[in-house]
């Protein structure tokens, strides 16, 4: 329903094969930006990343780093990565590495590696 005229609760099975690629494409290639579809894609990819999918964590990282993506969608993707990075497993370590990498690229000086001062 592109006009979002119908009320519905849609639940996508987390373990369904092949669905993750379509949802990741929806997140990265939905232009002009359908923000509600992208936020739903982030929620699904978070569930997949929590279930152990490395490609879902990678798709969330790409969303965080894409400047063309709406800021709220990028914030939700960063939160989703952070939620996946809290249980101490190998998957959690990869999610935490992705969060740290995104932070360093955006907020740290490339020569020193230290956080740059904020301009308030």
């Amino acid at each position: 329903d592109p006009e979002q005229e119908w009320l519905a609760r849609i639940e996508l099975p987390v373990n369904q094969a092949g669905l993750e690629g379509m949802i990741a494409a929806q997140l990265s290639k939905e232009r002009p930006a359908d923000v509600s579809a992208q936020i739903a894609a982030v929620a699904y990819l978070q569930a997949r990343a929590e279930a152990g999918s490395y490609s879902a964590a990678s798709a969330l990282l790409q969303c965080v780093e894409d400047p063309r993506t709406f800021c709220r969608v990028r914030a939700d993707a960063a939160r989703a990565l952070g939620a996946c990075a809290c249980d101490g497993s190998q998957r959690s370590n990869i999610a935490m590495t992705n969060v740290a990498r995104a932070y360093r690229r955006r907020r740290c000086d490339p020569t020193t590696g230290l956080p740059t001062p904020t301009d308030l």
Side-chain angles (χ1 to χ4, degrees):
D1 180 27
E3 289 82 28
Q4 298 177 357
E5 295 175 349
W6 294 90
L7 291 176
R9 180 178 174 103
I10 300 170
E11 294 183 17
L12 299 173
V14 175
N15 295 328
Q16 182 174 347
L19 191 57
E20 183 179 328
M22 291 187 295
I23 298 292
Q26 175 180 338
L27 180 61
S28 64
K29 298 177 183 169
E30 186 69 38
R31 303 282 186 255
D34 182 1
V35 176
S36 62
Q38 289 178 331
I39 288 176
V42 166
Y44 176 79
L45 290 172
Q46 177 182 355
R48 286 287 298 161
E50 288 173 351
S53 172
Y54 299 116
S55 58
S58 174
L60 289 169
L61 177 64
Q62 288 174 358
C63 176
V64 168
E65 293 178 343
D66 186 5
R68 298 173 300 158
T69 305
F70 184 61
C71 61
R72 177 60 193 222
V73 176
R74 286 186 308 194
D76 283 352
R79 281 191 198 106
L81 275 174
C84 296
C86 61
D87 65 358
S89 66
Q90 182 180 4
R91 169 193 46 82
S92 174
N93 292 338
I94 289 174
M96 189 61 189
T97 301
N98 287 342
V99 170
R101 185 181 307 146
Y103 176 78
R104 277 189 230 110
R105 283 185 188 155
R106 289 190 163 263
R107 300 288 178 208
C108 292
D109 183 6
T111 57
T112 63
L114 298 173
T116 56
T118 57
D119 186 21
L120 298 176

